Amino acid sequence: MTSIHIDAVTLGVFIALFAVFTFLGFYGAKWRKGDLNKLGEWALAGRRLGFFFVWFLMGADLFTAYTFIAVPSAYLTTGALYFFAVPYVAWGFAVALLTMPKLYQYAKKRGLVTASDFVKERFGSRTLSILVALTGAVAELPYIALQIVGMEAVLEMLFIGLTGKPPSDIVVELSLLISFIVLAAFTFASGLRGAVLTGVFKDVLIWISVIIPVVYIAVSLGGFSSAIHNIASGPITSSMINHALSATHSDKPIPYNYLIPSKDLIGAYFSLAIGSAFALYLYPHAINGSLSAEDPKKLKIGTALLPIYGIGLALITLFGLLIYAVPGAISLIYTTKDGALTVPALISYTMPDWFVGIALLGIFIGGLVPASVMAIAVANLFTRNVIGEFKQLSPSSEARVAKWISTLFKFLALGFVFAVPATYAIQLQLLGGIFITQTLPSVFLGLFTNKLEKNSTIAGWAGGIISGLMLVLYANHFKSLSTSLFATPFGLIYAALIALGINLAITLVGTALATAMGWRPKEDQLEKEIETETK
């Protein structure tokens, strides 16, 4: 396969399916009608999603355009270390099954909308509630920005196929702006309902785009055996990549940073997987999606089915290996020096033009759907747990403010991408993961015990945030951020876990001291009410 299968048909399919996506987004306002002037209806779809829609929503929410672009690219350019994404999703859903049904029970009982609502209820601390809300909002901004980075890769592939050269910045920015105007409009009108319907549409396209190419390449192009044959001359280094490019007569090296397997990377692999698993359901968008379920049982079933997406992620990751079976696609990566094109290039060189349109649209809206849910989640936090702490809002005012904040946050993220190079967005997202993990004691541990003292928990949060930031800066020699791994006697460890350990130590020691000085937790009346209802 030496030519790109992108033409007018591809573009036509892409535009037609985007029109379907837009229709579904606006139709969400009429689907399972509710009073969208109430925050619970607009932001949580009235808590009426069955397990099927919870499964699709969370899949669309957590498996994003950036996932489908970044993970295969990292596997191609850096090595098997980034296969940690596969076990991490499985472990993350185990964490979700332990925590989200219990959080849902609290939220349903008291009409809570966010994790910060729960933190305030549990600890009786407005300060801690606001800190958790602000942490979530800060962590989400680069996360949304990275969805846009993934969408940019799709636009780049389209323009390369149609014109033979990458698009100009103004073309990409205008395309993204139009897409976000559409997204903002239907999110404002439909809330989470629009995200649910478009999420189902997006996931169907993604599954088609993953399974069919893998089967086709395996049957027609020799699949993994052909790819491995192309790299059999030695370890996966830049020289191997150039060996795979021999058919293109390329004589310049590709500046990739492949990590040769070592004992240090064992700790890196497992700590990245564990740390990411802890962080996954602390992100506001994951919690928002979970609280939209109809009842705890449907939430459990929908969450239990989510590891199926891990299979898709494993196949997507292996696209970083399969690309060696397609010299034309490897040549494009070499020419553009852009590993983000791994999946779009592989599909564009192997599949028919109409199918390429389906796949590229699936990846593209794979950024828009999560961006919608993330913006809704951040709007909830600011409305309920920041603004709401200083000004009492009526239900209708609360929903109206959340809609406008959601819209503003989307365009703030878009402007962030326009102003900040993609590399820095990725680096800031590393910090986002470290920061959001520091809310674990107040959110996850708070679900199972009321014996953590609020001021100690605040101090633990501060210690975790500061130490996480300093560890990352030190690991990068106080220069540009390029890693979130910190060298320890046990090998390279994800800084989020070290910072979380410091956080927990401060929280527990502080609580012990407070207890010794006479502090006692209040009787957990809410826990008793929930236990009574579940018996």
Side-chain angles (χ1 to χ4, degrees):
M1 298 290 181
T2 59
S3 62
I4 300 176
H5 301 159
I6 295 178
D7 52 24
V9 173
T10 308
L11 183 61
V13 171
F14 186 95
I15 293 174
L17 291 176
F18 187 80
V20 175
F21 167 80
T22 303
F23 167 78
L24 289 173
F26 282 104
Y27 179 74
K30 299 181 179 180
W31 179 66
R32 295 189 177 182
K33 284 187 177 182
D35 186 356
L36 297 180
N37 291 317
K38 294 180 179 178
L39 190 62
E41 288 287 343
W42 179 79
L44 298 177
R47 303 187 202 267
R48 286 187 284 165
L49 300 184
F51 77 87
F52 176 81
F53 286 110
V54 168
W55 179 53
F56 267 111
L57 175 64
M58 297 308 299
D61 201 10
L62 301 174
F63 296 93
T64 65
Y66 182 66
T67 302
F68 297 126
I69 294 297
V71 176
S73 172
Y75 185 77
L76 170 69
T77 62
T78 307
L81 172 65
Y82 279 84
F83 213 75
F84 84 85
V86 177
Y88 122 64
V89 298
W91 299 345
F93 299 139
V95 172
L97 282 172
L98 288 172
T99 57
M100 289 301 103
K102 196 170 185 66
L103 179 61
Y104 180 93
Q105 289 179 307
Y106 279 111
K108 188 70 177 288
K109 182 70 177 179
R110 293 294 177 89
L112 310 180
V113 175
T114 69
S116 289
D117 285 346
F118 164 74
V119 169
K120 184 179 179 181
E121 177 92 19
R122 169 63 85 189
F123 291 88
S125 172
R126 183 174 73 170
T127 300
L128 184 56
S129 173
I130 292 173
L131 290 175
V132 170
L134 293 177
T135 304
V138 169
E140 290 285 26
L141 179 60
Y143 211 144
I144 296 180
L146 293 182
Q147 307 317 311
I148 302 169
V149 172
M151 294 163 64
E152 286 177 333
V154 172
L155 292 174
E156 183 178 356
M157 193 72 240
L158 269 177
F159 276 87
I160 290 174
L162 292 170
T163 67
K165 58 183 180 180
S168 63
D169 289 344
I170 188 65
V171 170
V172 171
E173 291 174 2
L174 183 60
S175 300
L176 289 173
L177 180 60
I178 293 171
S179 300
F180 265 67
I181 289 173
V182 171
L183 178 69
F186 79 63
T187 302
F188 192 98
S190 305
L192 195 68
R193 286 171 168 82
V196 171
L197 294 183
T198 54
V200 173
F201 181 63
K202 165 254 181 185
D203 282 357
V204 170
L205 296 185
I206 286 294
W207 277 109
I208 292 172
S209 304
V210 171
I211 295 173
I212 294 178
V214 168
V215 173
Y216 176 79
I217 293 171
V219 173
S220 302
L221 302 179
F224 292 104
S225 61
S226 176
I228 293 171
H229 174 75
N230 285 342
I231 61 177
S233 61
I236 303 179
T237 62
S238 59
S239 62
M240 176 280 297
I241 295 171
N242 293 318
H243 171 72
L245 292 172
S246 59
T248 68
H249 307 291
S250 301
D251 57 2
K252 295 180 181 179
I254 297 178
Y256 284 179
N257 183 31
Y258 193 86
L259 295 173
I260 302 301
S262 69
K263 291 183 179 179
D264 281 346
L265 293 185
I266 296 175
Y269 181 90
F270 282 103
S271 65
L272 281 168
I274 294 170
S276 299
F278 284 152
L280 184 61
Y281 271 81
L282 288 168
Y283 277 105
H285 61 278
I287 291 175
N288 196 88
S290 297
L291 296 185
S292 66
E294 187 174 359
D295 57 53
K297 182 178 180 180
K298 291 182 173 62
L299 173 59
K300 289 178 182 178
I301 295 173
T303 304
L305 291 173
L306 280 169
I308 294 173
Y309 278 89
I311 299 172
L313 180 59
L315 294 175
I316 278 283
T317 304
L318 291 174
F319 274 31
L321 175 61
L322 279 176
I323 195 169
Y324 294 115
V326 186
I330 276 285
S331 177
L332 179 67
I333 302 298
Y334 164 80
T335 303
T336 60
K337 300 292 188 295
D338 189 354
L341 297 180
T342 298
V343 173
L346 181 60
I347 292 174
S348 298
Y349 273 91
T350 57
M351 305 306 295
D353 52 3
W354 59 269
F355 186 92
V356 176
I358 293 174
L360 293 184
L361 190 278
I363 298 172
F364 188 78
I365 65 175
L368 289 174
V369 174
S372 175
V373 184
M374 291 173 191
I376 289 172
V378 169
N380 293 343
L381 288 169
F382 269 105
T383 303
R384 298 269 298 197
N385 309 117
V386 180
I387 297 174
E389 291 294 348
F390 300 98
K391 181 178 176 58
Q392 187 69 33
L393 298 174
S394 67
S396 60
S397 295
E398 192 177 51
R400 184 168 59 252
V401 170
K403 291 176 183 180
W404 283 111
I405 291 178
S406 169
T407 302
L408 177 63
F409 195 78
K410 291 185 189 72
F411 289 103
L412 179 64
L414 190 60
F416 180 83
V417 170
F418 292 163
V420 177
T423 301
Y424 289 100
I426 294 169
Q427 291 163 358
L428 289 174
Q429 200 271 339
L430 299 177
L431 275 179
I434 293 170
F435 288 167
I436 199 66
T437 307
Q438 305 318 309
T439 64
L440 185 149
S442 56
V443 179
F444 283 175
L445 295 187
L447 287 171
F448 297 95
T449 180
N450 66 337
K451 294 180 173 58
L452 296 179
E453 196 267 329
K454 64 179 181 181
N455 292 322
S456 301
T457 307
I458 292 171
W461 172 89
I465 293 290
I466 294 170
S467 62
L469 177 60
M470 295 306 297
L471 286 168
V472 169
L473 290 175
Y474 184 84
N476 289 278
H477 308 291
F478 294 91
K479 297 179 181 179
S480 296
L481 305 182
S482 60
T483 180
S484 59
L485 299 172
F486 187 81
T488 74
F490 305 101
L492 296 172
I493 302 296
Y494 184 29
L497 287 183
I498 302 174
L500 178 60
I502 294 172
N503 182 342
L504 289 170
I506 294 172
T507 300
L508 295 176
V509 170
T511 297
L513 290 175
T515 302
M517 296 173 65
W519 173 83
R520 294 292 183 271
K522 294 181 180 179
E523 185 179 9
D524 195 344
Q525 187 61 37
L526 182 57
E527 181 74 20
K528 290 183 177 180
E529 292 175 10
I530 291 175
E531 288 179 356
T532 300
E533 289 181 358
T534 55
K535 288 181 179 179

